[in-house]
Amino acid sequence: MFKPITIKDIAQALELSPSTVSRALSDSYEINEETKKRVIEYAEKHNYRRNPMASSLRQGRSYSIGVVVCEVANSFFSQAIDGIESVAYGKGYHVIISQSHDAYEREVVNMQHLANRAVDGLLISMSAETKDFSHIVNLHEQGLPIVFFDRIIDAFETHTVTSNNREGAMKATQSLIDRGFRKIAHLANAPHLSITAERLEGYEDALRQNGLALDESFIRCCHHGGRIQQEVEEAVRYFLSLPERPDAVFVASDRLSMGCLSAYNKLAPKSEHPAVAGFSNSDVLDLLQPNFTCVRQPAFEMGRMAMEMLIQLIESRYPVYDFENVVLQTELMMPHRISG
Amino acid sequence: MFKPITIKDIAQALELSPSTVSRALSDSYEINEETKKRVIEYAEKHNYRRNPMASSLRQGRSYSIGVVVCEVANSFFSQAIDGIESVAYGKGYHVIISQSHDAYEREVVNMQHLANRAVDGLLISMSAETKDFSHIVNLHEQGLPIVFFDRIIDAFETHTVTSNNREGAMKATQSLIDRGFRKIAHLANAPHLSITAERLEGYEDALRQNGLALDESFIRCCHHGGRIQQEVEEAVRYFLSLPERPDAVFVASDRLSMGCLSAYNKLAPKSEHPAVAGFSNSDVLDLLQPNFTCVRQPAFEMGRMAMEMLIQLIESRYPVYDFENVVLQTELMMPHRISG
DNA sequence: TACGCAATCGATACCGGTATCGATTGCGGG
DNA sequence: CCCGCAATCGATACCGGTATCGATTGCGTA
């Protein structure tokens, strides 16, 4: 096994003290330019790499932050992560991604692993299954900076970034109404999520504003957020089984939109497909399904802002008590007009 | 700021030595059961968390491994990551994901950050842009265990996991031939990738075996692997501009398949769309596009195996000189029959 | 009685950087 | 000539665990 060279090796070789080498390598003003050059040259020549653990241990900081999302194979989250990374790299932070797979157990384990000094802060979008927040509250009480995005909770005060889910849902539902549909169903996400309630509200508001009746039987929620395609198919099968079938569906999330369209393709002939509108940040879904209206969230921007807020918390010298709750606007993408 | 309790605090409180506490917490056989219980109880009660940096620094191991892929918003890679995680968590390893975005610079930076004792090993699927492998060779020469999967290189000997790309490509192309198509184009990936050459081979083999002529003008490759939709559209536009248009296209990757279908939807009426077959691990793509034949790779299994091989390298007491190059089989998914 | 050995625990060095405090040198001003 | 101060660098403790070596005790056995 190869033994990497340390700061002490350099010190010995150049007849300097370890502290001088350390300072030279971090470009300290107290070190003579000439000395710096010697150190840096020697370090590069011998392929020196600073040991991040030793550094973190001493400094009490790791310059890395943890991101907890349900899954990365999701346009919304992957775009958000890109936004997070764009800020992080600029400010010298490293991003550690971990997936909860919408499972409570997984979320707890991942956070424990990330927490306690291994990361300087946490960006969290809650898992669908999680009802008990004590693992997060604990970390927060221990002083770990946390920022929520998208799927937030109010167990304690901190910065949050969300999009205007109510309005997005309303716009999508309204677009279906504008296109002449009246029997509009709602395929909802897991019931405990903040976004679920907000989007349901928007859906109901739109119906109400247009004098349409609310029908509980037209609402179906997926407890696993569509990560199990079977539950989506069940919901679609249910809609298809209704004596009075919906002629349109408003879908609450990216994955559910995928699953919903896919399920209809599988379970019913094209002539019987309802119009579908829903939340999605996919680049191609709207193109693949010309009849699909989607609500896009500014995912990249959300990631960017969340990361900036987190860095603010981390680098603040004093405890922060004044928290921001940013709400970003959504964008409605109408169906493409395809010739032929 | 909250000050987490350390092993020394526990030692002092229980009137033990730090080493005893350390051993008690790692369930050493040299510690009396009674003492262990006292220590563990106190630790739990006071919410003790072992500091991973100190631990890693001393042990020279971090029990975490790094994964470098081009992007996570990709069915194939996200499934592979799930496979990796399934093994990792079982063996007590933590997985750090990082994305190269198919950019050379990004790949180098990420690896540097992961490397040098911050991770115990690396699982790599090469970026499309990378032609210079010295950053990886360096790490390897320093003794960092590395396993390649999917997009491999042969700059040095190590374990690798791939799927049978040649055969997969052949099967897909053959399926198009079987369906009666004769003018089959190929939308290829970035030229330097191992998978690109292998899949091109399979495509050409299939044509040859069926007595069809190879036509260079029917092959177009995307240097950014389709991450820039514009380059896919250009290729599609090119195919559409040919005096003799292809009646079918074999597409080399997941993202390219998405992009290709999407581009055709955008650029040509449905009646002029060619049949499309290609590599894809998407759950829904084949359902959304009934006419799409896809080659699935055993992504989860690839991740699983790669991780197991990496752990073997990491935990081997002696240098390993006998390397495995596993090749897994692909599966052809024929178009669904949709009524209506 | 003496010795060997297992069980249990302590003291300490060390992992590799870095914060802290201090030492040395040189020079300008009073 | 002395003092103050800036510039430059060294010695050392320390971050929080843990490997290493040793110490102590008790007990069975030669």
Side-chain angles (χ1 to χ4, degrees):
Chain A
M1 211 51 99
F2 196 89
K3 179 107 169 77
I5 102 172
T6 77
I7 229 168
K8 279 156 190 161
D9 298 330
I10 301 182
Q12 201 155 24
L14 300 184
E15 295 187 308
L16 291 169
S17 83
S19 44
T20 302
V21 176
S22 173
R23 277 179 288 219
L25 289 174
S26 40
D27 200 32
S28 162
Y29 69 97
E30 322 180 73
I31 303 298
N32 185 293
E33 288 301 328
E34 178 58 31
T35 312
K36 275 187 201 171
K37 215 170 63 184
R38 279 176 61 218
V39 170
I40 291 173
E41 258 173 23
Y42 187 92
E44 274 179 0
K45 188 170 171 188
H46 292 74
N47 206 21
Y48 167 78
R49 297 275 124 84
R50 152 181 354 220
N51 183 321
M53 282 145 197
S55 183
S56 299
L57 179 59
R58 181 65 243 238
Q59 296 193 115
R61 305 201 25 194
S62 64
Y63 282 96
S64 69
I65 64 107
V67 178
V68 185
V69 294
C70 59
E71 53 170 8
V72 292
N74 181 306
S75 308
F76 171 76
F77 287 113
S78 62
Q79 288 165 25
I81 289 173
D82 288 349
I84 292 169
E85 285 185 344
S86 77
V87 175
Y89 281 100
K91 302 237 181 181
Y93 283 84
H94 193 224
V95 176
I96 302 179
I97 304 161
S98 83
Q99 309 184 70
S100 69
H101 294 287
D102 269 334
Y104 172 71
E105 289 293 344
R106 226 23 198 289
E107 185 180 273
V108 174
V109 170
N110 283 344
M111 284 195 196
Q112 296 298 5
H113 205 120
L114 291 174
N116 193 240
R117 322 293 293 159
V119 292
D120 296 339
L122 238 36
L123 288 179
I124 302 179
S125 180
M126 298 295 301
S127 127
E129 271 188 16
T130 305
K131 301 172 210 173
D132 178 9
F133 306 135
S134 53
H135 56 297
I136 307 181
V137 174
N138 272 340
L139 296 178
H140 178 251
E141 281 173 352
Q142 285 174 42
L144 187 70
I146 295 177
V147 170
F148 291 100
F149 70 101
D150 189 46
R151 303 155 161 215
I152 65 179
I153 60 176
D154 52 8
F156 53 87
E157 275 283 305
T158 186
H159 293 319
T160 62
V161 193
T162 55
S163 49
N164 196 331
N165 290 300
R166 211 183 59 80
E167 195 183 285
M170 224 172 71
K171 284 193 288 192
T173 311
Q174 185 65 50
S175 82
L176 290 170
I177 297 173
D178 290 346
R179 283 162 66 193
F181 301 107
R182 289 294 173 267
K183 295 176 291 183
I184 304 174
H186 178 33
L187 185 60
N189 212 325
H192 322 97
L193 293 175
S194 58
I195 53 176
T196 302
E198 294 173 24
R199 292 174 190 176
L200 176 60
E201 255 183 59
Y203 160 77
E204 293 181 338
D205 284 358
L207 294 188
R208 245 193 308 270
Q209 281 182 18
N210 289 270
L212 297 176
L214 294 183
D215 186 349
E216 280 294 327
S217 73
F218 264 32
I219 302 175
R220 265 296 177 263
C221 71
C222 296
H223 290 260
H224 301 280
R227 297 203 75 261
I228 302 172
Q229 177 62 11
Q230 197 191 334
E231 73 172 342
V232 182
E233 282 182 17
E234 258 169 39
V236 165
R237 212 174 269 124
Y238 165 80
F239 286 147
L240 286 169
S241 77
L242 289 176
E244 191 150 14
R245 286 189 192 174
D247 55 8
V249 182
F250 163 60
V251 192
S253 85
D254 211 328
R255 176 161 284 271
L256 286 174
S257 294
M258 290 264 190
C260 177
L261 292 171
S262 168
Y264 269 113
N265 270 340
K266 181 172 170 190
L267 299 172
K270 268 224 154 45
S271 56
E272 297 178 16
H273 289 191
V276 178
F279 277 75
S280 170
N281 273 52
S282 165
D283 300 325
V284 292
L285 191 53
D286 55 328
L287 281 170
L288 294 180
Q289 291 279 313
N291 204 26
F292 176 66
T293 298
C294 63
V295 183
R296 285 203 193 294
Q297 301 180 78
F300 188 91
E301 183 64 15
M302 284 177 72
R304 252 184 27 75
M305 297 197 67
M307 185 65 205
E308 269 168 6
M309 290 164 136
L310 183 61
I311 290 182
Q312 188 227 310
L313 286 185
I314 292 173
E315 297 186 347
S316 160
R317 293 165 178 283
Y318 307 100
V320 177
Y321 295 115
D322 190 22
F323 298 108
E324 284 183 81
N325 302 105
V326 176
V327 178
L328 301 175
Q329 290 310 309
T330 60
E331 191 185 355
L332 191 68
M333 314 282 284
M334 295 300 288
H336 289 254
R337 198 153 303 283
I338 304 281
S339 45
Chain B
M1 212 52 101
F2 197 87
K3 178 105 168 84
I5 106 171
T6 78
I7 230 169
K8 280 156 190 161
D9 298 330
I10 300 181
Q12 202 156 23
L14 301 184
E15 295 186 309
L16 292 168
S17 83
S19 45
T20 303
V21 176
S22 173
R23 275 179 290 220
L25 289 173
S26 41
D27 201 30
S28 161
Y29 69 96
E30 328 180 67
I31 302 297
N32 184 293
E33 287 301 327
E34 178 58 32
T35 312
K36 275 187 202 172
K37 214 170 65 184
R38 279 176 61 219
V39 170
I40 290 172
E41 258 174 20
Y42 187 92
E44 274 180 359
K45 188 169 171 191
H46 293 74
N47 206 21
Y48 167 77
R49 298 274 123 84
R50 152 180 359 220
N51 184 321
M53 282 145 196
S55 181
S56 299
L57 179 58
R58 182 66 243 239
Q59 296 192 116
R61 300 195 37 189
S62 64
Y63 281 98
S64 69
I65 65 106
V67 178
V68 185
V69 294
C70 59
E71 53 170 7
V72 292
N74 180 305
S75 308
F76 171 75
F77 287 113
S78 62
Q79 288 165 26
I81 289 173
D82 288 349
I84 292 169
E85 286 185 344
S86 76
V87 174
Y89 281 100
K91 302 237 179 179
Y93 283 85
H94 192 225
V95 177
I96 301 178
I97 304 161
S98 82
Q99 309 184 69
S100 70
H101 294 287
D102 269 334
Y104 171 71
E105 288 293 342
R106 224 27 198 286
E107 185 180 273
V108 174
V109 170
N110 283 343
M111 284 193 194
Q112 296 299 4
H113 205 120
L114 292 173
N116 191 239
R117 321 293 293 158
V119 293
D120 295 340
L122 237 37
L123 288 178
I124 301 178
S125 180
M126 297 295 300
S127 127
E129 270 189 16
T130 305
K131 302 172 209 173
D132 178 9
F133 307 134
S134 52
H135 55 300
I136 306 181
V137 174
N138 273 339
L139 295 178
H140 178 250
E141 281 173 353
Q142 285 174 41
L144 187 71
I146 295 177
V147 170
F148 290 100
F149 69 101
D150 189 47
R151 302 155 161 214
I152 66 179
I153 60 176
D154 51 9
F156 52 88
E157 275 283 305
T158 186
H159 293 319
T160 62
V161 193
T162 55
S163 50
N164 197 330
N165 289 302
R166 209 182 62 81
E167 195 183 286
M170 224 171 72
K171 283 193 290 192
T173 310
Q174 184 66 50
S175 82
L176 290 171
I177 298 174
D178 291 345
R179 283 163 66 194
F181 301 107
R182 290 293 173 268
K183 294 177 291 182
I184 304 174
H186 178 33
L187 186 59
N189 211 327
H192 321 98
L193 293 175
S194 58
I195 53 176
T196 302
E198 295 173 25
R199 292 174 190 177
L200 176 60
E201 256 182 58
Y203 160 77
E204 293 182 339
D205 284 357
L207 294 189
R208 244 193 309 269
Q209 282 182 18
N210 289 269
L212 297 177
L214 294 183
D215 186 350
E216 280 295 328
S217 72
F218 265 31
I219 301 174
R220 265 293 174 272
C221 70
C222 296
H223 290 261
H224 301 280
R227 297 202 73 261
I228 302 173
Q229 177 63 9
Q230 198 191 335
E231 72 172 342
V232 183
E233 282 182 17
E234 258 169 39
V236 165
R237 211 174 269 125
Y238 166 81
F239 286 147
L240 286 169
S241 77
L242 288 176
E244 191 151 13
R245 285 188 192 174
D247 55 8
V249 182
F250 162 60
V251 192
S253 85
D254 210 329
R255 175 162 283 272
L256 285 175
S257 294
M258 291 265 188
C260 177
L261 292 170
S262 169
Y264 269 112
N265 270 340
K266 181 173 170 187
L267 298 173
K270 267 223 153 48
S271 56
E272 296 178 17
H273 289 190
V276 178
F279 277 75
S280 170
N281 273 51
S282 164
D283 301 324
V284 292
L285 190 54
D286 54 329
L287 280 172
L288 293 180
Q289 290 281 312
N291 204 27
F292 177 64
T293 298
C294 63
V295 183
R296 283 202 194 293
Q297 300 179 76
F300 187 91
E301 182 65 16
M302 284 177 72
R304 253 185 25 75
M305 296 197 68
M307 185 65 206
E308 269 168 5
M309 289 164 138
L310 183 61
I311 290 182
Q312 188 226 310
L313 286 186
I314 292 173
E315 297 186 346
S316 158
R317 292 164 180 285
Y318 307 102
V320 177
Y321 294 115
D322 190 23
F323 296 107
E324 284 184 83
N325 302 104
V326 176
V327 178
L328 301 175
Q329 290 310 307
T330 59
E331 190 186 357
L332 191 68
M333 314 281 286
M334 295 300 287
H336 290 255
R337 197 153 304 283
I338 304 279
S339 46

